[in-house]
Amino acid sequence: MIPGSPQRADLLQKAVKGRSLWDDARRRLLGNKAAVAGMVVLALMVLLAALGPFLVPFHYDTVTKADVWAAPGVGGHLLGADSLGRDLLARLIAGLGVSLLIGVVATSVSLLIGVLWGAIAGYVGGRVDEVMMRIVDTLYSLPFIFFVILLMVTFGRNIFLIFLAIGAVEWLTMSRIVRGQTLSLKQKEFVEAARAAGLSGRQIILKHIVPNLLGPVVVYVTLTIPAIIIAESFLSFLGLGVQPPMASLGTLIANGAQDMEIAPWLLIFPSLTMIITLMAFNFIGDGLRDALDPKDR
């Protein structure tokens, strides 16, 4: 190969491109076996929640008195049936879908509020930052369960309110993370150049600050979704979450705990599904954190 040839230039260009932050992060993420396993398991869980209802011969709310507490494999019920004769596999698939949906939607709510709140507080600074973060501190002092119960009593109990109630609580930590990152980013040269170019504060936040927060925000999102799933399960266990005839992993675990002496499979299978789902999210979150950590570059 001749120095200065087009082939050498192409190789150099590919080498430079390969050293970019996101390419390097992707390489290290895919090299993390636990994170890859978590992504595979999570993808299978999503496919099961999306396609499972069309593959199972039972509807999640179909009551069959003859199949009350049917053991796994009896009467065509692969995982057994509950106290009303409803197929556990069908209810487990439906509950998995509801729990994943609550985790994604509530996380999106917390993401929207937390990123904007933290970015504005960190960029504007001064008294605005002081007031906004004192509001966050005040909300932190309120017990989570009390705040959610208050919202439900005030606005009624439905699944969409659960999305909003949990998301409206989980944004607090997100705002603190984003604020800290914004305080560092606003001193960077590209932000100074944007100010010199005459961009408004709103344009700088949306076009320069928020896009550069993507790394830590993505990591926190993967850790927030399982936290929200656990929060919903806790509420459902107390009877404050998803209401019958709908199901979530939390309601299935709560119902299984009541009948565990008669039909232990009603507790075992939902609990295993919950554990596997949460572990998948945590493995992905840990993998992303390690992949995006500049200290490991």
Side-chain angles (χ1 to χ4, degrees):
M1 183 179 296
I2 302 174
S5 66
Q7 293 88 349
R8 181 178 178 83
D10 290 340
L11 289 175
L12 290 174
Q13 184 177 4
K14 291 179 180 179
V16 172
K17 182 180 178 181
R19 289 195 296 268
S20 68
L21 172 62
W22 293 108
D23 286 340
D24 187 54
R26 182 172 60 253
R27 177 183 56 80
R28 285 189 286 147
L29 177 62
L30 295 178
N32 188 319
K33 295 182 179 179
V36 172
M39 288 187 285
V40 171
V41 170
L42 184 58
L44 293 176
M45 289 291 186
V46 173
L47 286 175
L48 179 63
L51 302 179
F54 303 101
L55 303 176
V56 179
F58 300 94
H59 189 265
Y60 76 92
D61 196 35
T62 300
V63 175
T64 308
K65 293 183 179 180
D67 293 337
V68 170
W69 286 322
V74 177
H77 300 285
L78 186 61
L79 300 183
D82 65 7
S83 59
L84 296 178
R86 296 173 297 188
D87 184 70
L88 178 59
L89 178 58
R91 291 185 62 75
L92 187 60
I93 291 173
L96 176 62
V98 170
S99 292
L100 290 175
L101 186 61
I102 289 176
V104 172
V105 174
T107 299
S108 299
V109 173
S110 69
L111 181 67
L112 177 63
I113 299 174
V115 169
L116 290 179
W117 190 279
I120 292 172
Y123 180 77
V124 176
R127 294 186 62 85
V128 173
D129 179 30
E130 185 73 17
V131 172
M132 293 179 72
M133 297 316 295
R134 293 297 75 76
I135 292 175
V136 171
D137 293 338
T138 301
L139 293 177
Y140 254 122
S141 66
L142 295 176
F144 165 77
I145 187 65
F146 170 77
F147 185 67
V148 174
I149 291 175
L150 180 63
L151 288 176
M152 290 185 173
V153 170
T154 304
F155 299 104
R157 187 184 301 177
N158 59 68
I159 191 170
F160 298 104
L161 180 62
I162 296 174
F163 294 162
L164 297 176
I166 300 178
V169 173
E170 292 292 336
W171 69 270
L172 300 175
T173 302
M174 179 75 75
S175 67
R176 285 187 167 180
I177 293 174
V178 170
R179 172 184 175 270
Q181 293 292 322
T182 303
L183 289 174
S184 174
L185 286 173
K186 74 176 186 178
Q187 306 298 330
K188 300 295 184 180
E189 291 81 2
F190 65 89
V191 175
E192 295 292 341
R195 290 197 193 99
L199 271 66
S200 65
R202 175 177 172 275
Q203 291 175 315
I204 293 175
I205 291 174
L206 295 179
K207 295 182 179 180
H208 296 278
I209 298 294
V210 172
N212 283 279
L213 295 170
L214 186 60
V217 166
V218 167
V219 173
Y220 186 71
V221 163
T222 60
L223 300 177
T224 300
I225 293 177
I228 288 177
I229 292 176
I230 292 176
E232 183 278 326
S233 299
F234 174 68
L235 292 174
S236 296
F237 194 86
L238 297 178
L240 298 172
V242 176
Q243 299 301 303
M246 296 189 82
S248 70
L249 293 179
T251 58
L252 293 176
I253 292 173
N255 294 334
Q258 296 176 357
D259 301 329
M260 63 180 298
E261 295 184 0
I262 301 174
W265 55 87
L266 296 179
L267 177 62
I268 293 173
F269 291 119
S271 299
L272 287 176
T273 303
M274 171 77 78
I275 292 171
I276 293 172
T277 303
L278 297 181
M279 287 182 64
F281 274 112
N282 285 327
F283 284 154
I284 295 172
D286 290 342
L288 284 171
R289 182 187 58 198
D290 295 340
L292 295 172
D293 189 353
K295 295 179 182 178
D296 293 336
R297 284 179 60 81

